[in-house]
Each structure stands twice: as structure tokens, then as C-alpha cells.
Amino acid sequence: MASGFPPILTGRMTEAPGDSHTIARYEATGGYTTLRTALSGMTPEQVTEQVKASNLQGRGGAAFPTGVKWGFLAPATPRFLVVNADESEPGTFKDRQLLERDPHQLIEGTVLSAYALAVHHAFVYVRGEYPKPARRLQRAIDEAYAAGFLGSDILGSGFDLDLMVHLGAGAYICGEETALLNSLEGKRGEPRIKPPFPAVEGLYSRPTIVNNVETISNVPWIVANGGRAYASIGDPASAGTRLFSLSGHVKNPGNYEIPMDLTWRELIYDIGGGIPEGRELKCWIPGGASAPWFVPAEHLDTRVTKDDVAENGSMLGSGAVVVMDDTTNVVAAAHRIVRFFAHESCGQCTPCREGTTWLERMLWRILQGHGRPQDLDMLMDVSDNISPGLTWPPAMTTICPLGPSAVSPITSIMKYFRDEVEEMLAAGVTT
Amino acid sequence: MTADTLAGWSAANRRRAEAMLAAYPDRRSAVMPLLYLAAMEHGHITEDAMREVAALTGMTPAQVQSVASFYTMYKRDGVGRYLISVCTSISCFLLGSDALLAAVEEETGTAGGESSDDGLFSVEHVECIGACGGAPALQVNYELVEGVAPDKGAALCRWLRDAGPEIVLSDEMQQLFGGRRSFDWAIREHEGAVAPVPAFAPYGSSGEEGA
């Protein structure tokens, strides 16, 4: 642990790297004891109470309080639990590590959650590009069935749960929970208009809870140690530890589990080791490709908490920190991110489908040395049509936040690096 | 219905299709795994494949096509024996993905998402594959290799051509051609891909080293 804090999620894989994914190691290190205790001595409501008390917030990107989300689940049965393992936000690779290295932690969390929610059929939606994590998880599920932690009458409690792995097939948008549910129903992965929310009308129009891999992986610790213990870790408004994915121009890229009370300087320089080859930090993306960028002159001493980052006009999102050094062509970097969203737009909403495409083409034109002075205003105008007012959090003209996400790199470079964009226009630079 | 619809399929894949249809609360949910299975059976998602999957799931062929065309991993055109997917999203881009893509395209004689004349390679650039800590990264038949320098990417292509592995193994390629990884992979995985379809036992797309 870089910060010296006892890890919640990554301890087993750090201490027993050779077999942390096996049921033997999981049980030898206390795994599934929480499930035994809960199924024999706790009511579903008591499990839910611990999750509510923990102040755990969703780790997929939206940071919505998990216990509150659970509280919205409509009473009708059957109902479903879906674990979102469609990790696709550029810069994010934490769920991959949790799936590959400690799948039983996720399974125990899923069974505990399903027990709390009175769910008897759960799915893990794994992105198609993650066959190895899917294989590891499937083997772990097979082990859990054989050991009686899944299936009928789990540990003699009378509680039944079936758990299935479902692979996606290459669509970022399926990480959006209603798109994911459409995909799981065998449809195109197009987001639904909310409300109704999945907790009321989700999979097959039944009450459904969708939670991220990291979110559910925290549940065994929370139930074992109590919600209040979890809530006491880190910043009061950003409870617990989080897995941050560091990548880009940083000496020590990787996933780091830290409590949310550090500064960006500590995260990038102390944990990430700083910028390679003696170069300078130019900017970074604090929470995945959808997030507005930060710059050292303003944000290095900002704290890495949900609220501090929000007050500075961005978000922790999926926990992906992408670092860019002073050699970075920020227009090219912004183009690469906008191109991503243009490619991944599902096409339902005109402002997103057309807007992201236009933004991508304008940035490409500038990169090719054919930019025009009026392109700067047009970039902002098209952005404003996708996300009116260009505020944070973004206003939307679309069903889901994908379109407004494509605006973040545009507003970032126009805010912090407008001179560089203008220079490129003036020089007709070709890259 | 299954027996008639899948008359041309192998017995093993017919059994896999039955299992997929039985596994979900609603048979339409089986369309995604069935499309992978159909790709294994036909080599890619053909018109026939979509009609067969439609008959199995109770969807119309047009509905199946609307699904197949939505997701990038359902290949409706033929793909080479080795599908090489080079990530060019932001983190890989910052660490030289475009040079890696160029080296792979040059070595395989492909450009712009095409297949090589000998049918051995298809090369595509893809959006983020969750390997950002090991950038730049690529996948061969969706098996991951991280920290791939351009010259190593070209060498990987030559190795695939010369060695012609039946089973594409992530750990083997990583050892021979990879560099920095997103995290410690810890143990060697012996299961890999036998086709340009994600290697997952229910699809019949995976093979085991030494098995």
C-alpha cells in the first residue's frame, strides 16, 4: 500500500499473488466467513443497513450512494442484480484487476448483496474484450457453486442464488446501466429514458439493481467490519478506499488503492512517481475520459475527494487518472478523446450523434493544418448544442451523458490551452 | 426447432446453443452468446448465421442484424486467422500507439482495417481495452499483450506467421513480446483463443495449452 493504509480490496492479491484468485486461498484468508455469518445471523435488512451506514458510493463513475440506490428497489418480484463489469472508460483498468486477481471477493459481495435485496438471479456483464477476466470469474463461480456458496439453499440458509457471466461485444455505451440492461435483454445497447429507473423497471421490466464491480467488491468488508468503520475511512463525504488507475506520462502507472484524502500532488508525484525523463506535468484527467482536465497551476493541491474535485469543475468518475507531460499536443489528445465518444455514440440522440462527429472532424482538420479561425467559436457552439451553457455538472440535450462527456476535452483545452490551439491555427501545423 | 435450424452445425455447438437458450430467463437474451457461437460455426457473422440465430431466439433476422451491427466484435465480414486489435485510445496514444499500429500494419501488409492477402491477419485499431497502465497494448484474437514497442509488435506478427500457434496465449505473447503491464498478472494462464472470438468455454472458442 503506497499510502500505508490497510487495503480493503487489494490485500489478498498483494499478499498471495500466486493464487489469490482461487477459492482455497480466499477461504484460507477468511473469505466466505462473512457470508456464513450473514446468512445464519443477519436479516437482509441488517445487511442493507450496514451498506447504507457505510456511505459507499458507486465506483462506476456516477458516485451515487449505493445504500440509497438499494433503497429504491421496488417490492415486486422477481427482481435482479446485475454487476457492471463493462469497464470501458478510457484510462480505467481497475475492475479488470479485481476480476482477474480476486473474483471470489466479488462473488461473496454479490451473494451478500443479493441476500440483502432478495434477489435470486444475478448477472455479471463483462465487456467482450475481457475474456481472461471472464474466464477467471467463471472458474471462480464454478468453484463457488461446488462449495455451496451459490445455487440452491446456500449454506443451508434456504436462500437461493444463481449467478451468470454475460459477455458484451464491444460497446462502451453498455457501461451505462440502462444500455447494459437493453444489451442483456438481447437488444442494441441504447440507453433508456429515465425515469423509470432500473430499481423500478429494469431487466425484463422487473426491479433491478446495477452496481459496479468495485462497488460490490467492497460489500464483504463492509458487512464484516460494519458500515460505520467503512464510513470512517478517508474523507467523510467520500468514504472508504478507492482504486485509482494511473496511466499516461507517469513513472509508475498502475492501480492504487487509497483512501480519498490525498492531494493530487501526492497521488501523481508520491504514488505515481512523477513525470518520466525529467519532463514537466502539463495537465491530467482526474476521472476518466469524460472528466474535464486539471492543470498543475490550479489543482495540484486540490484534494482527491468527490466534493473537492466537483468544486473545481470536474469529477473523480471511474477513478482513471491520465497524466500528460509538457511534450503533449493537447489538441491531438483532445481529438483522441472526442474520437472515442464519436465512435461510441449509440446514435439515438441527434446532438450526440452529429455533435461528436462534427467535433471530431473539426479537431482533425485543425490537426491537419487546415483549421480556420472561426473553428474555435464553432467548436464551442457545437459543444454548447450538446451541453447547453457548458456548465459543470453538464446540462444535457441527450438521454445519457455520453454526448456531454465529449465536450469535456474541448472546454478543457479552450480554457487552459487556448493559445496553443490558436497557434496551431495560425501556423497551419501538420502533425 | 433447434435441431432443424442448426442442421449444419457441429454436435458440440448445437449443445452449446441449447445451453445458452436454457440459461436465460428470456431466450432473446441468448442472442449475444449465440452470435459468438455462430461466428465460430461460420467463421464470421454471415447472413445465414443471423437467420439461424433469429430462428433460435424468436427474433426476426432484421432484429438480429440490428444487434449484430451495433457491437464492434461481431464481424460481419471475413476476418483473418489472427485478428490484431491495437488500442489507440488516449493512454495508449500518449505512449506511442500510432507507431505500434503502423508497425503492425506494415509487417502484415494491411492498412485501414483490412485483412492481409494470405488471410492470415486482420488488423484494426480499437478504442480503450482496459490496459492503460501497460500502454501501448494490443490484443490477438482478444488475448492481451501489454507494453508493446513497435519493433516488438512487428516481431509478434512475424512469430504468428512463422509459428502459427493453434491456441493464442496471452502469457506466451506477453513473455516474448510484451513489456510493462497494468498490474502483476501473477500466474500463467493456460487457456487461450482458437479463433478471432473471445476465448470463453461456452462459445467453444477457447483451447487449453497441452490439452
Side-chain angles (χ1 to χ4, degrees):
Chain A
M1 273 312 294
S3 66
F5 192 86
I8 289 172
L9 297 166
T10 56
R12 190 171 297 101
M13 66 182 78
T14 307
E15 285 159 25
D19 61 356
S20 62
H21 59 291
T22 64
I23 196 166
R25 174 61 60 186
Y26 191 68
E27 289 201 82
T29 50
Y32 289 117
T33 53
T34 309
L35 182 65
R36 287 180 198 280
T37 307
L39 288 184
S40 61
M42 292 174 81
T43 64
E45 292 74 23
Q46 287 172 323
V47 175
T48 301
E49 277 313 308
Q50 294 307 320
V51 172
K52 282 186 176 164
S54 74
N55 289 333
L56 172 66
Q57 293 165 350
R59 300 292 194 241
F64 193 80
T66 305
V68 176
K69 193 181 215 181
W70 286 14
F72 292 150
L73 189 64
T77 56
R79 66 250 304 256
F80 297 101
L81 170 64
V82 182
V83 179
N84 186 343
D86 194 50
E87 176 172 73
S88 313
E89 179 80 13
T92 318
F93 50 97
K94 65 188 177 68
D95 295 339
R96 192 183 126 217
Q97 183 165 352
L98 291 172
L99 290 164
E100 284 185 25
R101 303 293 307 282
D102 206 337
H104 283 285
Q105 180 171 250
L106 175 66
I107 294 169
E108 186 175 15
T110 304
V111 184
L112 286 165
S113 303
Y115 176 66
L117 298 166
V119 160
H120 302 293
H121 205 140
F123 298 86
V124 186
Y125 188 107
V126 182
R127 68 177 301 194
E129 297 90 338
Y130 277 10
K132 180 179 171 186
R135 294 193 296 264
R136 282 271 172 91
L137 177 62
Q138 184 62 58
R139 272 180 232 138
I141 287 174
D142 294 344
E143 286 178 323
Y145 267 104
F149 299 125
L150 283 171
S152 304
D153 191 22
I154 295 171
L155 299 171
S157 66
F159 176 66
D160 306 332
L161 178 68
D162 279 313
L163 179 59
M164 245 186 101
V165 175
H166 181 94
L167 257 68
Y172 164 75
I173 191 59
C174 291
E176 196 281 334
E177 61 180 6
T178 60
L180 184 154
L181 294 174
N182 274 341
S183 181
L184 192 49
E185 288 182 6
K187 299 169 183 163
R188 293 164 70 86
E190 291 166 345
R192 302 172 181 172
I193 293 170
K194 297 191 267 195
F197 287 90
V200 177
E201 247 179 76
L203 185 65
Y204 312 124
S205 299
R206 309 302 305 178
T208 304
I209 294 292
V210 184
N211 283 142
N212 167 264
V213 168
E214 185 184 345
T215 309
I216 294 290
S217 293
N218 274 297
V219 171
W221 194 97
I222 289 169
V223 176
N225 296 277
R228 284 169 65 182
Y230 190 87
S232 71
I233 299 167
D235 180 82
S238 308
T241 62
R242 267 199 83 162
L243 271 174
F244 284 89
S245 301
L246 260 62
S247 69
H249 297 139
V250 63
K251 275 186 191 160
N252 307 320
N255 289 319
Y256 296 96
E257 183 182 357
I258 56 169
M260 285 179 273
D261 59 1
L262 305 179
T263 64
W264 288 100
R265 186 188 305 279
E266 289 169 317
L267 182 53
I268 294 171
Y269 286 93
D270 297 345
I271 292 174
I275 315 303
E277 295 169 34
R279 294 194 296 259
E280 297 293 320
L281 174 64
K282 184 170 189 171
C283 55
W284 70 96
I285 310 174
S290 303
W293 303 1
F294 275 1
V295 291
E298 296 184 26
H299 303 117
L300 266 182
D301 295 310
T302 299
R303 292 200 316 148
V304 185
T305 71
K306 179 187 176 183
D307 292 348
D308 288 274
V309 172
E311 280 164 22
N312 285 274
S314 191
M315 64 173 177
L316 287 179
S318 60
V321 181
V322 182
V323 179
M324 299 184 232
D325 72 17
D326 55 0
T327 66
T328 306
N329 177 337
V330 289
V331 179
H335 170 263
R336 205 48 74 106
I337 294 170
V338 172
R339 191 186 75 175
F340 169 82
F341 289 112
H343 182 262
E344 300 297 338
S345 173
C346 82
Q348 280 192 114
C349 309
T350 308
C352 172
R353 182 186 65 242
E354 301 301 321
T356 55
T357 305
W358 273 69
L359 292 175
E360 190 272 329
R361 288 182 185 173
M362 279 190 282
L363 287 171
W364 180 246
R365 184 165 69 198
I366 294 170
L367 281 172
Q368 294 307 300
H370 305 302
R372 305 169 307 181
Q374 62 265 40
D375 283 348
L376 294 188
D377 287 341
M378 205 187 293
L379 279 171
M380 297 305 275
D381 187 48
V382 173
S383 296
D384 188 75
N385 278 316
I386 303 173
S387 182
L390 301 177
T391 54
W392 190 264
M396 306 209 316
T397 55
T398 48
I399 293 172
C400 88
L402 188 147
S405 297
V407 168
S408 292
I410 306 269
T411 54
S412 297
I413 61 171
M414 296 298 273
K415 184 173 178 185
Y416 300 117
F417 306 106
R418 191 181 171 105
D419 52 335
E420 284 185 41
V421 186
E422 285 174 347
E423 259 176 56
M424 286 190 82
L425 285 172
V429 173
T430 302
T431 56
Chain B
M1 176 172 68
T2 311
D4 293 342
T5 306
L6 302 182
W9 286 31
S10 71
N13 282 345
R14 285 204 299 272
R15 280 196 300 274
R16 291 187 178 108
E18 297 281 6
M20 287 170 183
L21 288 162
Y24 291 92
D26 183 316
R27 61 203 288 121
R28 180 170 176 153
S29 285
V31 64
M32 293 185 69
L34 282 169
L35 280 168
Y36 280 132
L37 191 61
M40 287 301 297
E41 188 63 41
H42 291 272
H44 62 280
I45 308 287
T46 61
E47 298 274 328
D48 281 345
M50 289 188 274
R51 272 191 284 272
E52 289 157 0
V53 170
L56 291 171
T57 53
M59 299 162 72
T60 67
Q63 286 173 322
V64 173
Q65 186 176 19
S66 82
V67 172
S69 61
F70 187 83
Y71 302 92
T72 55
M73 291 169 67
Y74 296 130
K75 305 298 185 190
R76 284 170 299 142
D77 297 311
V79 283
R81 183 174 172 198
Y82 302 115
L83 171 65
I84 304 179
S85 310
V86 180
C87 177
T88 56
S89 273
I90 182 67
S91 298
C92 285
F93 166 73
L94 291 171
L95 292 169
S97 65
D98 291 18
L100 172 61
L101 176 63
V104 167
E105 286 183 337
E106 188 182 345
E107 181 59 43
T108 55
T110 63
E114 293 175 349
S115 300
S116 59
D117 293 338
D118 57 9
L120 205 53
F121 297 108
S122 293
V123 178
E124 60 179 2
H125 72 83
V126 293
E127 299 298 350
C128 188
I129 52 176
C132 322
L138 58 76
Q139 293 183 324
V140 180
N141 292 350
Y142 303 111
E143 293 300 303
L144 181 65
V145 196
E146 296 188 291
V148 187
D151 61 324
K152 294 286 190 175
L156 167 59
C157 298
R158 286 193 295 277
W159 176 78
L160 289 168
R161 187 186 292 125
D162 296 341
E166 295 285 328
I167 304 171
V168 173
L169 295 161
S170 188
D171 284 273
E172 183 177 26
M173 295 186 294
Q174 180 69 31
Q175 191 183 347
L176 293 171
F177 307 104
R180 181 153 68 186
R181 298 169 301 185
S182 293
F183 50 83
D184 183 1
W185 292 8
I187 63 148
R188 186 183 172 98
E189 182 87 5
H190 299 283
E191 198 173 344
V194 300
V197 169
F200 193 52
Y203 309 156
S205 51
S206 76
E208 196 141 343
E209 191 179 30

